[in-house]
Amino acid sequence: MQIREVFDRKRFVFLDGGMGTQLQARGLQPGQKPELAALEMPEVLTAIHTDYANAGADILLANTFGANAKKLTGCGHTVEEVVSASITCARKAADTTGACVALDIGPLGELLVPAGTLAFEDAYNEFAQVIRAGAAAGADLVFLETMTDLYELKAALLAVKENSSLPVLASMSFEAGGRTFTGCTVESFAATARGLGADAVGINCSLGPKEIFPMAKRLTEALPGSFPVFVKPNAGLPRADGSGYDITPQLYAMQMKPYRELGLFAAGGCCGTTPEFIQLLNGVFADCRPGRPDHPMKSVVCSPMDCVDVDGITVVGERINPTGKKRLQQALRDGDSAYPCTQAVAQAEAGAQVLDVNAGLPGIDEAATLEQLVKDLQAVTDLPLQLDSSNPEALSRALRIYNGKPIVNSVNGEPETLEKILPLCKKYGAAVVGLALDKGGIPPTAEGRFAIAQRIVAAANAAGIPNEDIYIDCLTLTASAQQEGAVQTLEALSRCKRELG
């Protein structure tokens, strides 16, 4: 299978099964690093890949799950050596059937700030090294899997996009309650990964087919019908006596049958599954074609733990804006994050659903201040943020370290503004607020404001931003002073909703 065929939606794609449990079953000793199998037991590793290829797997995951600098410290081999040898073993097997080879990347094993001590850019650099090595070794695609921290997944996705041209599949592991270990929701994962440019998203590990199914269903419902979704469940749960997993290949295949109705593009197995599991999966999905009926996409913004549907009145807290607020102005000048953080908590307690964050104050470094504000606020609130700036550098730095899918507030009808800010929104998967004004100010008529709105929507669509991620602010002035202006605002609102969607 050529890599272009993986995403052409003409037929179902089969992923491989468990690697760690297969290595253990074939001689990996306690204390031996599984990442070094390509160097220490290459024949065994190649045989595992070959068995999966012969079982019908279209994509073979190279044994690089933990092949990062942190986990390889002290082993005597570089990331590049391990990745290259691992991809070579997978390629030997793939060449026998025409399968593709994926650079497999798992978590780094350390939580990112603020939950842990690993800085976001340090995590990015760890992933970037692995990705460059995988691309150089000839991987066909990148497979990010078993992620539990949305922030770490973002670092990995950015590393793929900025250090290679390879397609990327992104998968997270969810617990029985429907959240990852760090609290990320299925919907937040879907919105963020899609926005950051993942070519497909899925759920793997932790649970068996029956337990993952309702979460997989939510994942498909949170994405367009054309967006590829996959699953790689475990072979059930580990037995208490340590003798393996509790689902046979036959039972696994039976429990995977309900997934046929979800319109998945691919399926495979994770811990405890074997080539026999993958062979039986081929029978389950043999006549399935990827894709689901299209459905209206919700407008959403999110943090990892809070996905907000913007489907009516949505309350945006505006207290973290220095305009007319001397106490906040002084805090920003002093680099004091405590005060804006208390404002964030108070607004959340008062019912805000999104928090606007503005650091536009003369005499301070807006880019550095906005970036730090986002970091500090993420440590004290789960609410999604609206990044309020027209400064491209400030937005770039804040968007990069934001955990989730934010709103950018705002752009206007000026071509220069649209050209600088819309590509940032697209790259980082942000929604955008468009103001119905340009260098001539706020047009007095509904027709004038609607014309600017049309221009903004056209430019956003051209940048790859879908309509559900575009909000138009039709603007109004003081009604007591300009009563006719209020009528024009209402008419502009009506036309934007009716004619632009």
Side-chain angles (χ1 to χ4, degrees):
M1 171 176 272
Q2 298 295 315
I3 189 59
R4 68 177 185 276
E5 297 177 272
V6 171
F7 301 103
D8 67 6
R9 295 161 53 93
K10 290 183 179 178
R11 75 168 179 85
F12 198 84
V13 174
F14 293 95
L15 308 172
D16 62 8
M19 175 55 73
T21 44
Q22 281 291 289
L23 286 170
Q24 291 168 358
R26 303 192 195 197
L28 186 73
Q29 298 301 306
Q32 189 177 0
K33 280 187 177 292
E35 294 83 8
L36 301 184
L39 298 169
E40 298 176 350
M41 44 197 295
E43 296 84 3
V44 171
L45 179 58
T46 301
I48 294 171
H49 287 310
T50 301
D51 287 348
Y52 279 126
N54 291 335
D58 298 305
I59 297 177
L60 303 178
L61 275 58
N63 184 42
T64 51
F65 179 84
N68 59 70
K70 284 188 175 297
K71 291 188 176 180
L72 294 178
T73 298
C75 77
H77 298 283
T78 66
V79 168
E80 290 73 16
E81 288 172 335
V82 173
V83 169
S84 179
S86 299
I87 288 180
T88 295
C89 288
R91 180 65 67 194
K92 286 180 182 176
D95 285 347
T96 63
T97 63
C100 294
V101 172
L103 173 69
D104 187 32
I105 298 179
L108 297 172
E110 187 175 341
L111 289 174
L112 276 66
V113 175
T117 59
L118 181 63
F120 180 82
E121 289 299 336
D122 289 342
Y124 168 90
N125 289 331
E126 293 279 349
F127 288 124
Q129 182 184 14
V130 180
I131 289 154
R132 288 192 296 268
D140 298 307
L141 68 155
V142 178
F143 196 99
L144 307 175
E145 65 159 317
T146 324
M147 296 288 181
T148 61
D149 184 350
L150 189 64
Y151 212 18
E152 184 173 25
L153 179 67
K154 177 172 182 174
L157 279 168
L158 287 176
V160 175
K161 293 296 180 179
E162 295 177 354
N163 292 273
S164 79
S165 58
L166 297 176
V168 55
L169 280 62
S171 182
M172 295 193 81
S173 294
F174 291 85
E175 299 184 344
R179 292 177 180 264
T180 69
F181 168 74
T182 60
C184 180
T185 71
V186 171
E187 290 74 18
S188 292
F189 164 48
T192 304
R194 177 192 173 207
L196 291 169
D199 294 285
V201 298
I203 298 174
N204 81 291
C205 207
S206 294
L207 303 166
K210 187 182 295 184
E211 295 81 10
I212 284 177
F213 181 81
M215 291 176 269
K217 187 172 187 295
R218 285 167 54 191
L219 188 59
T220 60
E221 291 168 349
L223 293 161
S226 59
F227 196 89
V229 175
F230 63 91
V231 293
K232 285 192 80 179
N234 284 351
L237 300 173
R239 297 192 190 98
D241 62 4
S243 62
Y245 287 74
D246 65 359
I247 292 183
T248 64
Q250 293 75 20
L251 182 57
Y252 188 86
M254 186 176 75
Q255 292 188 358
M256 288 295 290
K257 286 182 180 179
Y259 286 86
R260 290 168 53 92
E261 70 186 59
L262 297 186
L264 303 180
F265 106 104
C270 205
C271 301
T273 60
T274 68
E276 186 180 358
F277 283 71
I278 305 308
Q279 186 173 23
L280 291 176
L281 271 188
N282 273 259
V284 173
F285 294 100
D287 59 344
C288 291
R289 290 193 63 175
R292 305 171 300 284
D294 278 324
H295 59 90
M297 286 300 298
K298 293 180 179 179
S299 293
V300 302
V301 293
C302 71
S303 68
M305 290 185 270
D306 192 355
C307 192
V308 175
D309 289 347
V310 185
D311 58 0
I313 297 297
T314 303
V315 181
V316 181
E318 295 266 2
R319 296 297 301 167
I320 308 174
N321 184 325
T323 304
K325 302 181 185 71
K326 292 183 179 179
R327 177 68 182 85
L328 180 59
Q329 291 175 7
Q330 193 59 50
L332 295 181
R333 289 193 179 100
D334 295 342
D336 171 19
S337 65
Y339 181 73
C341 283
T342 60
Q343 292 293 302
V345 172
Q347 290 178 101
E349 291 175 347
Q353 295 165 277
V354 179
L355 296 180
D356 187 84
V357 187
N358 187 309
L361 185 64
I364 69 169
D365 184 341
E366 182 185 356
T369 304
L370 186 61
E371 179 183 13
Q372 190 60 47
L373 270 177
V374 171
K375 290 179 179 178
D376 294 337
L377 291 169
Q378 289 182 155
V380 300
T381 180
D382 293 331
L383 294 186
L385 300 183
Q386 177 171 277
L387 307 177
D388 189 351
S389 177
S390 57
N391 180 325
E393 182 190 356
L395 284 174
S396 179
R397 289 172 63 170
L399 284 166
R400 188 172 185 84
I401 52 88
Y402 178 74
N403 190 3
K405 176 184 175 180
I407 305 176
V408 167
N409 181 28
S410 52
V411 298
N412 55 45
E414 285 294 304
E416 184 180 358
T417 302
L418 297 170
E419 289 169 8
K420 289 181 178 178
I421 294 178
L422 292 180
L424 291 173
C425 295
K426 171 59 179 175
K427 176 178 179 177
Y428 293 107
V432 62
V433 174
L435 304 180
L437 60 81
D438 56 18
K439 63 183 178 182
I442 303 174
T445 67
E447 181 65 35
R449 296 184 207 181
F450 179 74
I452 294 174
Q454 280 183 305
R455 191 188 315 156
I456 292 170
V457 171
N461 290 161
I465 300 170
N467 275 15
E468 66 265 21
D469 288 342
I470 306 168
Y471 304 97
I472 297 296
D473 184 346
C474 293
L475 300 169
T476 191
L477 299 172
T478 308
S480 61
Q482 297 188 26
Q483 292 189 16
E484 176 57 25
V487 176
Q488 297 301 320
T489 295
L490 294 175
E491 176 58 26
L493 280 168
S494 230
R495 290 196 63 186
C496 284
K497 191 73 172 179
R498 184 175 65 249
E499 298 178 42
L500 299 179

